[in-house]
Amino acid sequence: MIRILVSGLFLLLAATAPTRAMNELLPPFGFRWGDPPRRVEAVLSGAKAHIVDRKQDGSRSIWTVEGLVHPGLQRTLFTFKNDKLIEVELQYEYPDWSIERYNEQMGTVRRYFDGKYGVGKLVSRSRDTDTDIVQTLVGYQWMVGTTMLELFYFSAEKPPLITKHYNFTPNPICNLILNRE
């Protein structure tokens, strides 16, 4: 019997004030918060990345981009509000990683942020076993000047139904979300 596993790390960066602080965390790839879509698209084009989807959600526009070169990076989501960049989500996938490897990585990233920004605040810890898919969510938060940094770990597992012995094929996803409004 095969055990299904999805696991990921999510990193959220959000500004809590409109002014730019000296220690504000910036989005990746040399972008700045508030960049217009035309600048982002020009940089993506120069990097030979492709916008594979564009969605509108009220005043937000969300682009799904593939082709940015970074180890394990599968896709990147850019979110604009009122034609200003407010969020960048990096989605990483390592098909050969086990649940143990993702747990280890979560600990490593959390300890790094604890050392750099002070001890993070636990903002979420849940384990849902109400269905045949067991879901786990753990999240931490740090304040960096006017920026809020959040790190989340998520996993969903469907244990085997017939036997106690199993193999599993992980389909992990690691997300890095950078958000500023």
Side-chain angles (χ1 to χ4, degrees):
M1 180 59 65
I2 294 180
R3 179 178 180 153
I4 300 171
L5 168 71
V6 176
S7 184
L9 296 177
F10 303 83
L11 186 62
L12 176 70
L13 184 64
T16 58
T19 59
R20 185 174 187 282
M22 292 300 290
N23 58 349
E24 175 185 50
L25 299 176
L26 299 173
F29 310 118
F31 292 114
R32 298 277 184 208
W33 300 123
D35 277 348
R38 69 182 178 283
R39 179 180 184 277
V40 173
E41 190 164 11
V43 171
L44 294 173
S45 178
K48 301 205 182 333
H50 307 283
I51 301 170
V52 296
D53 189 36
R54 296 176 196 242
K55 292 180 183 173
Q56 196 66 35
D57 181 14
S59 64
R60 292 176 181 242
S61 177
I62 303 162
W63 297 356
T64 302
V65 175
E66 294 178 353
L68 288 168
V69 179
H70 194 264
L73 183 61
Q74 298 299 310
R75 71 196 58 77
T76 306
L77 277 61
F78 291 87
T79 302
F80 302 89
K81 183 174 183 180
N82 300 323
D83 288 331
K84 294 179 182 176
L85 182 65
I86 63 163
E87 180 176 301
V88 179
E89 177 180 332
L90 305 175
Q91 298 182 353
Y92 291 86
E93 184 175 330
Y94 298 94
D96 57 335
W97 277 22
S98 66
I99 187 74
E100 291 80 15
R101 178 67 178 101
Y102 270 93
N103 286 332
E104 179 184 306
Q105 184 66 16
M106 172 68 172
T108 299
V109 173
R110 185 176 58 81
R111 284 187 300 275
Y112 171 79
F113 288 140
D114 281 349
K116 189 165 182 152
Y117 305 120
V119 176
K121 175 183 171 186
L122 180 67
V123 293
S124 179
R125 181 179 296 273
S126 66
R127 185 167 176 89
D128 180 4
T129 57
D130 293 342
T131 67
D132 62 337
I133 298 176
V134 178
Q135 297 182 42
T136 303
L137 178 67
V138 179
Y140 293 89
Q141 180 183 81
W142 295 263
M143 292 303 298
V144 183
T146 61
T147 308
M148 179 177 61
L149 174 67
E150 292 183 325
L151 174 68
F152 287 90
Y153 167 80
F154 171 78
S155 70
E157 301 174 75
K158 184 174 182 177
L161 301 174
I162 297 175
T163 179
K164 292 182 180 177
H165 303 282
Y166 58 85
N167 294 324
F168 69 93
T169 304
N171 184 13
I173 298 172
C174 178
N175 290 334
L176 171 65
I177 302 175
L178 302 171
N179 179 3
R180 175 178 180 215
E181 291 193 58

